[in-house]
Amino acid sequence: MKIGITCYPTYGGSGVVATELGIELAARGHEVHFISYAMPIRLNGASDRISYHEVEVTTYPLFDHAPYTLALATKMAEVAEEESLDVLHVHYAIPHSVSALLARMMAAPRALPFITTLHGTDITLVGNNRSYLPITRFAIEQSDGVTAISSYLRDRTVREFEIKRPIEVIPNFVNCDLYMRAPDQSPKARWTRNGEPLLMHLSNFRPVKRVTDVIEIFALIREKISVKLLMIGDGPDRGAAEYLVRKKRLSKDVFFLGKQDRVQELLGLADLFVLPSDAESFGLAALEAMACETPVLATNAGGLPEVVTHGVDGYLFEPRDVASAARFGLEILTRPDRGRAMGEMARANARRRYCSNDIVPMYEAYYEKVLRSTANAAQTAR
Ligand code: GMT
C-alpha cells in the first residue's frame, strides 16, 4: 500500500507512535509518505521506502494565526495525487482529521479515504474544549476509519462526543527487539555508585505529567535509601521540577538529561520507571520501560491500568498520592529480587500484548478493511 501519515512531529507520544508505525510499515514493504511541518523525531534516514513532505505555512501580516490546517490539506491532496496514495492515516484528531477531510474532498472523484487515530489529549483536553468539540466530533464521524489507542479512550470518546460510528481499538506498541534490558549495565555508573538503584521518568514535561510529583516521590524514597533519578525529556514544567530539586537539596541525586533520541538505551538501565500523570490514555513511555524489563510505578488513571498490572509488573496509585507511590517504590527498590521478578513480568506482558510484530498487522488489516468498504461504497454509488 501507499500510505500518507500525518502527525505532530514534536516530542509527544502520538508523533512517536506514528513514526514507529511508518518505520514498521516500510519494513513490511509498504511505501510511506510523512506529511507534516517538520521531520518527525526518530524518522531521519529510517528507510528508503519512507519519504517526508514538508508543509510550508505562508504567513501574511493579516494573519495573526497562520492557517496550518489549510496548508496541510493542500499538501495532503498534492501528495496523494503525485504519489498515488491509497490512504491517509492521521494521528491526533485536531486539526489533522479536518485537513484530511478537506483533502479527500479536493481529491474527488479520485478516492482518498482517511483514517483518524485518537491518542488522548485530542479528546480528553483539547477536543473537549467547546471551540473544538463540534468540529472534532464532525471530523471523527466523517473519517473512513477511526481507531483509539486504548479501550478507555474509545469508551470515553463514544460517551463524551456521542459518537455513533464504530471505533476500533488498536493499542500502542513497542519494538520488542529494540527495546530490551541492556546486557551491559556499566553505563549506569555514570549516575550511580556502589550499586545504588536508579529511578527514571520520561515525558514531554507537560502539566498533565506531574513531573514535580516525580521529584516528591523521589524525595520520600531518598529519605530512606540511597538512590538516583534520571529525568528524560523537556517541556513547560522542567523549570518547576528543577527548582523543586534545588529547594529539596537533591541536586547531586537528580539528573535532567533533556530530550534523548535513543531512549531504549536508558530505559534498560532503570530499576523503576515513574509515571505519576493526572491523565494518560495509554502511557507509551510506561510500555517502553516494561519492554526493557523495568517495573513501573504509575497512576491508576485512564488507560494505564490496561498497560500496568498492579502488583504484577508494577504498582498503580491514585493521582497525586505521592506517599503511597513512595511506599510502593520502596517495596520494589529495597527487595531487588522482587524488583527483578516484576521487571521480567513487565517484559513478558509487554511482549505478549503490545509487540509491534502483533500490533502493526492489525493496522494493515484495518487499512485493507477501510479500502474495501470505500471501494464497495463507490461501486454502489455508480
Ligand atoms: O501525553 C502527551 O502529552 C502527548 C500525547 C500525544 O498525543 O502526543 O500523548 C498521548 O498519546 C500517547 C501515544 O498514543 C499516549 O501514550 C499518551 O498516554 C497520550 N497522553 C495522554 O493521554 C495525556
Side-chain angles (χ1 to χ4, degrees):
M1 276 175 270
K2 294 186 175 187
I3 305 153
I5 294 185
T6 289
C7 63
Y8 280 105
T10 47
Y11 204 66
S14 57
V16 170
V17 171
T19 308
E20 299 285 1
L21 177 62
I23 293 170
E24 297 278 348
L25 288 167
R28 298 169 75 88
H30 301 286
E31 194 179 298
V32 181
H33 295 266
F34 277 86
I35 308 167
S36 189
Y37 61 83
M39 171 89 85
I41 51 159
R42 300 194 187 180
L43 186 63
N44 216 341
S47 158
D48 52 12
R49 274 194 289 272
I50 297 183
S51 322
Y52 162 62
H53 307 264
E54 188 154 309
V55 180
E56 276 173 38
V57 193
T58 314
T59 54
Y60 183 71
L62 199 62
F63 300 159
D64 273 345
H65 310 283
Y68 176 64
T69 308
L70 304 184
L72 176 60
T74 306
K75 196 66 170 182
M76 283 171 163
E78 273 172 18
V79 174
E81 172 79 26
E82 277 160 25
E83 308 289 347
S84 307
L85 295 187
D86 295 306
V87 63
L88 287 172
H89 185 180
V90 302
H91 292 260
Y92 210 89
I94 304 170
H96 302 147
S97 53
V98 178
S99 300
L101 175 56
L102 291 172
R104 185 179 71 188
M105 292 163 82
M106 290 164 77
R110 183 190 179 283
L112 182 58
F114 73 97
I115 292 166
T116 301
T117 289
L118 309 172
H119 280 271
T121 47
D122 45 354
I123 296 300
T124 56
L125 297 180
V126 191
N128 253 334
N129 182 305
R130 271 309 302 167
S131 49
Y132 296 118
L133 193 147
I135 193 144
T136 307
R137 181 200 288 139
F138 181 68
I140 290 172
E141 291 286 10
Q142 291 293 318
S143 301
D144 297 281
V146 181
T147 75
I149 47 91
S150 64
S151 302
Y152 159 81
L153 184 61
R154 187 234 359 239
D155 296 348
R156 192 162 164 187
T157 308
V158 169
R159 197 173 58 244
E160 290 180 14
F161 285 66
E162 297 175 0
I163 299 294
K164 302 282 179 272
R165 55 153 311 121
I167 298 179
E168 183 129 333
V169 175
I170 303 185
N172 285 339
F173 57 86
V174 63
N175 183 328
C176 301
D177 300 326
L178 202 60
Y179 283 73
M180 46 169 61
R181 189 117 202 114
D184 173 18
Q185 291 279 307
S186 61
K188 202 169 161 178
R190 293 218 296 268
W191 304 286
T192 62
R193 285 207 195 109
N194 310 321
E196 277 174 324
L198 186 60
L199 261 68
M200 241 174 244
H201 171 79
L202 159 67
S203 76
N204 50 26
F205 287 47
R206 291 198 199 135
V208 71
K209 303 292 175 183
R210 303 282 309 172
V211 284
T212 48
D213 283 2
V214 180
I215 308 300
E216 297 283 3
I217 294 165
F218 175 78
L220 290 171
I221 294 176
R222 179 71 188 82
E223 280 173 14
K224 306 278 183 210
I225 59 172
S226 184
V227 58
K228 297 284 191 278
L229 169 66
L230 285 197
M231 298 288 283
I232 308 166
D234 211 330
D237 280 356
R238 178 169 170 174
E242 286 180 328
Y243 173 77
L244 191 59
V245 166
R246 284 195 298 275
K247 197 170 139 200
K248 288 184 176 287
R249 300 183 188 284
L250 289 169
S251 300
K252 289 204 170 72
D253 298 316
V254 182
F255 304 92
F256 287 84
L257 302 194
K259 293 179 186 177
Q260 298 287 318
D261 281 341
R262 302 173 63 81
V263 291
Q264 68 273 24
E265 291 171 7
L266 294 165
L267 292 170
L269 299 171
D271 295 284
L272 183 61
F273 184 79
V274 188
L275 193 62
S277 312
D278 261 344
E280 203 69 70
S281 298
F282 186 91
L284 181 65
L287 174 62
E288 291 178 339
M290 287 167 67
C292 295
E293 287 182 39
T294 302
V296 171
L297 193 55
T299 39
N300 187 21
L304 276 167
E306 293 174 46
V307 182
V308 179
T309 308
H310 182 71
V312 174
D313 48 26
Y315 285 109
L316 296 169
F317 61 95
E318 293 309 312
R320 306 185 183 204
D321 183 0
V322 293
S324 299
R327 231 180 4 259
F328 286 134
L330 277 164
E331 196 169 315
I332 291 177
L333 299 173
T334 52
R335 292 176 50 199
D337 52 333
R338 173 107 177 104
R340 287 309 320 130
M342 281 185 134
E344 282 165 23
M345 280 307 293
R347 175 150 175 96
N349 286 341
R351 276 189 79 124
R352 189 166 51 80
R353 292 151 68 199
Y354 300 119
C355 238
S356 49
N357 293 342
D358 299 314
I359 306 298
V360 175
M362 290 170 75
Y363 274 113
E364 287 175 300
Y366 193 68
Y367 292 161
E368 278 158 15
K369 185 169 130 186
V370 167
L371 289 179
R372 261 197 317 273
S373 64
T374 314
N376 288 344
Q379 209 158 32
T380 317
R382 258 187 235 131

